[in-house]
Amino acid sequence: MDSPWAPLRGRVFRMLWIAVLAGNVGTWMQTVGAQWLVVEEPDAATWTSLVQTVTMLPVLLLALPAGAIADVLDRRRLLMAVQTALFLVGALLTVLTALGRMPPPLLLLFTFLLGVGQALTLPTWQAVIPEIVSRAELPAASALGAVNTNLARSAGPAVAGLLVAHIGPAAVFALNAISYAVFALALVFWRRPPKKGPSHPERFGPAVRAGGRFVRYAPAVRRLLIRVILFVLPGSVVWGLLPVVAHQELHLGASGYGVLLAALGVGAIAGALLMPRIRRVMSANRLIVVAGLSYGGALVVVALAPHEAAVGAVLVLAGAAWMTLVSRMNATLQLLLPNWVRARGFGIYQVVFAGAQAVGALVWGQVAERAGLPVTFVAAAVLMLMGTATVWWLPVHEHDDADRSPAVYWAEPHIMLEPHAEEGPVLVTAVYRVRDDRAAEFVAAMDAVRLTRLRTGATRWGLFRDGADPVRYFEVYQVPTWEDHLRQHEGRLTGSDEEVEQRAVALAEGPAEVTHLLPTDKDD
């Protein structure tokens, strides 16, 4: 059996993994400190759920732009700048809290600013991972990312609970600030080899739109995102309301709340260690069912058996279910995304993930204020089970054998005009000759080609048949600018795209005759 620890043999991955662990520990300590700072305020359920919502809201708003920035700029330098800024924000939060000048609204503002840093960090870090591990090690690296998060979830809250109880939230915030400095220092020691990028870096706006188009026309990615929503939306009730459960139902202090979060972390770590075996014996869709049933059952126990031992036990199960499913979806997405759009793809993933958490935490907080905690957890369990049942209609397709490496196989366009990079739109036509007995098969093959064109830059696509010469088929697609079309030539297409196109070309009589139609000069 492959070792789940294999990626840690690489020095760079090991160093950055430890640095990210320090940052994750600090983040969880921050969350505990912030939630416990408002747990005795009036309307505590609303305030604690707002802490979770405000933490995730920046990811919802900024993850896609952050992914575009990470695909355009040097990812190492971007991470270093963000961690430095987070250190400064965390230090100011620490000072104001120590001085007793941290009312709940100001706390939410600082939490939002730290969330902005996380929104910039998450897609960038995810895009860096395939640079420092092999493709074969990506599932293990993804599982180790989950181990990292859940080690932090286990240790961070427990330590934070002790610090809050004996020193105060300011100590927690101070350690969180230091964790950002640790990550920045590790990045300084990472000597990243220079990466050869496109001859012209993408501009921000077109880069964002290109990322959205890719996901829109990648059915496997879209289905994965739907599965994440259906699991995280009801599952967020735990992260949003567990402080209130600890305080109001179980009558625990900060240390007890830390123990409950540690139970979630312990279950998640156990699940991560079992991930290689689970991956061998269980498909992604079967895992969705098992994780959904386990997590939903845990929510019912929290609602109907509010005893510390019972809640702690089922939180271990919930942590394992959460980790195994999220880790599997994360690893699958790593394999589905080509490098040119990887950070943007993960940005959209983070938008969906954080959006489901933020909306879920806010909704469950309001339901708890009006209907009580037991009803809220039962409602979340029912929604979890209903979402799990949809796997028979919306399964996940992993495509482990797909080739996502760049494939430069189009001939360089030979044209007499010299268009400006931003000139457009550009209309590309490809003329194929196809015998009648192959026509139906060719049209079906071209439907798959359509998705490759739209994923990599085209905004419109069509296939037409010549009325005067029925064996001639015209593929016509529009690209926003000449620069966007050149990017299709220079590396946006993948090995899988090449295979799809070759299947269609094999049904035609020879290669297509390609022309590029440029807009006329408006002064003509």
Side-chain angles (χ1 to χ4, degrees), residues 29 44 112 191 207 345 376 406 465:
M29 292 175 68
F112 179 83
R191 302 301 181 187
T376 302
R465 195 173 187 181

Side-chain angles (χ1 to χ4, degrees), residues 217-401:
Y217 294 107
V221 175
R222 291 203 313 271
R223 287 199 174 199
L224 184 148
L225 296 177
I226 292 172
R227 298 295 352 150
V228 168
I229 292 173
L230 293 175
F231 183 80
V232 172
L233 188 63
S236 64
V237 69
V238 172
W239 313 113
L241 294 178
L242 192 58
V244 186
V245 171
H247 187 260
Q248 295 183 3
E249 297 292 319
L250 303 179
H251 309 291
L252 300 174
S255 298
Y257 170 50
V259 169
L260 293 182
L261 282 178
L264 278 166
V266 167
I269 293 169
L273 295 176
L274 293 173
M275 274 301 295
R277 186 182 300 275
I278 292 173
R279 190 174 181 85
R280 280 183 170 80
V281 303
M282 196 177 294
S283 68
N285 295 304
R286 181 171 295 181
L287 176 61
I288 289 169
V289 174
V290 172
L293 292 176
S294 300
Y295 203 98
L299 296 180
V300 171
V301 173
V302 173
L304 303 180
H307 301 287
E308 182 177 355
V311 171
V314 297
L315 287 180
V316 173
L317 179 63
W322 180 279
M323 195 291 309
T324 52
L325 184 63
V326 171
S327 175
R328 186 67 168 266
M329 297 299 99
N330 191 293
T332 300
L333 189 61
Q334 289 277 17
L335 297 173
L336 291 175
L337 295 172
N339 184 63
W340 72 269
V341 76
R342 182 169 287 122
R344 278 166 281 186
F346 268 102
I348 294 173
Y349 173 85
Q350 293 297 338
V351 167
V352 170
F353 193 98
Q357 275 199 302
V359 171
L362 184 60
V363 169
W364 298 127
Q366 295 304 307
V367 173
E369 290 284 0
R370 290 164 174 76
L373 289 170
V375 171
T376 302
F377 274 79
V378 169
V382 171
L383 187 60
M384 174 69 74
L385 297 176
M386 290 173 62
T388 301
T390 65
V391 73
W392 280 274
W393 296 277
L394 289 170
V396 168
H397 302 298
E398 294 187 281
H399 298 293
D400 287 343
D401 57 344

Side-chain angles (χ1 to χ4, degrees), residues 14-24 148 179 182-184 186-187:
R14 182 173 63 250
M15 176 180 64
L16 294 177
W17 186 86
I18 292 171
V20 171
L21 176 62
N24 284 337
N148 191 312
S179 74
V182 170
F183 193 5
L187 291 165

Side-chain angles (χ1 to χ4, degrees), residues 62-73 75 78 119-124 127 204 207-208 211 339-348 351:
L62 301 175
L64 177 54
I69 293 171
D71 278 331
V72 172
L73 301 180
R75 292 165 183 169
L78 177 61
L120 292 168
T121 298
L122 289 172
T124 310
F204 176 76
V208 171
N339 184 63
W340 72 269
V341 76
R342 182 169 287 122
R344 278 166 281 186
F346 268 102
I348 294 173
V351 167

Side-chain angles (χ1 to χ4, degrees), residues 146-168:
V147 170
N148 191 312
T149 299
N150 291 288
L151 276 173
R153 185 176 290 157
S154 179
V159 174
L162 291 173
L163 289 175
V164 170
H166 294 92
I167 303 177

